[in-house]
Amino acid sequence: MGGAIRSVTVSRDGKHWYISFLVETRVQAPTVSLEKGRIGIDRGVAVMAATSDGRFLDREFITSGEALRYRRLEQQFARTRKGSKRRSACAAKKQAIMRRVRDRRRDSHHQTAARIVPGTGLVVLEALNVKGMTAAAKSTLAEPGTGVRQKAGLNRAILDKGWHGFELAVRNKARATGCLVRTVHPAYTSQTCPACGAVDANSRKSQAEFACTRCGYTGHADTVGAKNTLARGHAGHRAWRPRGCPVREAPTSVKPQGMNAPAGEVGIPQL
């Protein structure tokens, strides 16, 4: 298999069985300079990935017909008795639909990573705690809570885009190309102006519209978030800024900012 087998995993998905091998090939990843290209990525629920160079990469993973059939199967499943053959058959049909959705999502993640990583020396992502962000809202019969249904809808939207799976696809592709992947603190990336560095929640007019209240810079909010993510990745540290602070953590420079550039030119403090 091209190397030493380190582990073997056997898994089952419905009536399908899969086996995967972890093989150590001892092939060294190529060395890539950051001057080759740098890109920041903003992950969202409306668009799976928006890049700092203005691209929007997204795809629907379930068709309208499959969504309608899945809702009908859920209704049929609720009317069946536990342990019955009808219940098992209904569950198998639901699993078949979701298996196709998972396959499309995984394929989209790897195809998107293949469009971004090759030819790039640095990819900067937001450090998102997807598990914590998709935790269910706490509510009981005595204390129903507020915004429970809205939180459930947001969780479904995040899980449907597959933020964590997309990050894994980017990292796996980067291992083969030698690309460097960094994560930065996501605070206020969509509220910071990439032109003047002003931080204002009112600059985010809507989900897709950004207009700086200080200098008047306008652009797509997801693209603005990707640009700020890339700027923070230049400095190589987890940046954080309190609300209202106009200082930029990682100012860009017209001089080369690769791995061999002086530390002072890329915003890294000298010891």
Side-chain angles (χ1 to χ4, degrees):
M1 300 190 68
I5 299 177
R6 296 303 181 186
S7 66
V8 181
T9 304
V10 180
S11 59
R12 179 186 179 186
D13 187 359
K15 62 180 181 179
H16 300 273
W17 289 85
Y18 303 90
I19 180 169
S20 61
F21 298 88
L22 178 62
V23 181
E24 183 179 1
T25 60
R26 296 187 179 274
V27 176
Q28 297 294 332
T31 303
V32 179
S33 173
L34 296 186
E35 298 176 10
K36 187 176 182 180
R38 298 175 292 267
I39 191 170
I41 300 176
D42 179 82
R43 289 168 286 180
V45 295
V47 179
M48 182 183 68
T51 62
S52 55
D53 55 4
R55 288 180 291 172
F56 299 94
L57 307 172
D58 194 21
R59 177 189 172 184
E60 292 294 333
F61 306 123
I62 185 170
T63 64
S64 58
E66 288 175 336
L68 177 60
R69 176 168 172 77
Y70 191 82
R71 287 196 296 269
R72 291 177 177 174
L73 288 173
E74 283 187 325
Q75 295 173 356
Q76 296 177 10
F77 186 82
R79 294 193 296 266
T80 58
R81 296 193 308 270
K82 292 184 178 180
S84 63
K85 294 183 178 179
R86 186 166 173 260
R87 189 181 184 90
S88 300
C90 189
K93 293 178 182 178
K94 290 172 55 180
Q95 292 176 1
I97 294 176
M98 296 312 298
R99 180 169 55 251
R100 290 196 296 268
V101 173
R102 290 194 300 271
D103 291 342
R104 291 173 192 150
R105 184 185 298 112
R106 188 182 304 110
D107 179 71
S108 177
H109 289 166
H110 285 277
Q111 288 196 25
T112 304
R115 295 173 59 183
I116 294 175
V117 176
T120 304
L122 172 65
V123 175
V124 186
L125 299 166
E126 294 175 317
L128 301 177
N129 181 12
V130 180
K131 183 177 181 180
M133 295 174 66
T134 56
K138 295 181 179 180
S139 63
T140 60
L141 294 177
E143 298 180 359
T146 58
V148 177
R149 293 180 62 87
Q150 292 82 351
K151 183 62 169 64
L154 177 62
N155 293 349
R156 285 194 298 268
I158 294 175
L159 295 174
D160 179 68
K161 296 300 180 182
W163 289 355
H164 182 64
F166 174 66
E167 181 177 348
L168 291 179
V170 171
R171 291 186 180 276
N172 290 337
K173 184 64 66 175
R175 290 193 185 98
T177 61
C179 175
L180 177 62
V181 179
R182 287 178 179 171
T183 56
V184 297
H185 200 284
Y188 307 114
T189 52
S190 61
Q191 300 176 8
T192 304
C193 177
C196 67
V199 182
D200 189 358
N202 296 325
S203 298
R204 183 76 181 263
K205 303 299 182 181
S206 64
Q207 184 277 326
E209 182 182 1
F210 180 91
C212 181
T213 56
R214 173 180 292 184
C215 67
Y217 173 87
T218 59
H220 197 284
D222 293 339
T223 304
V224 168
K227 290 182 178 180
N228 291 324
T229 301
L230 176 60
R232 295 184 181 186
H234 281 169
H237 62 87
R238 296 184 62 184
W240 183 86
R241 177 197 300 109
R243 183 182 295 272
C245 179
V247 179
R248 300 182 65 189
E249 288 86 359
T252 57
S253 172
V254 295
K255 298 181 180 181
Q257 297 186 358
M259 293 297 293
N260 299 325
E265 295 181 0
V266 295
I268 302 176
Q270 297 284 356
L271 296 179

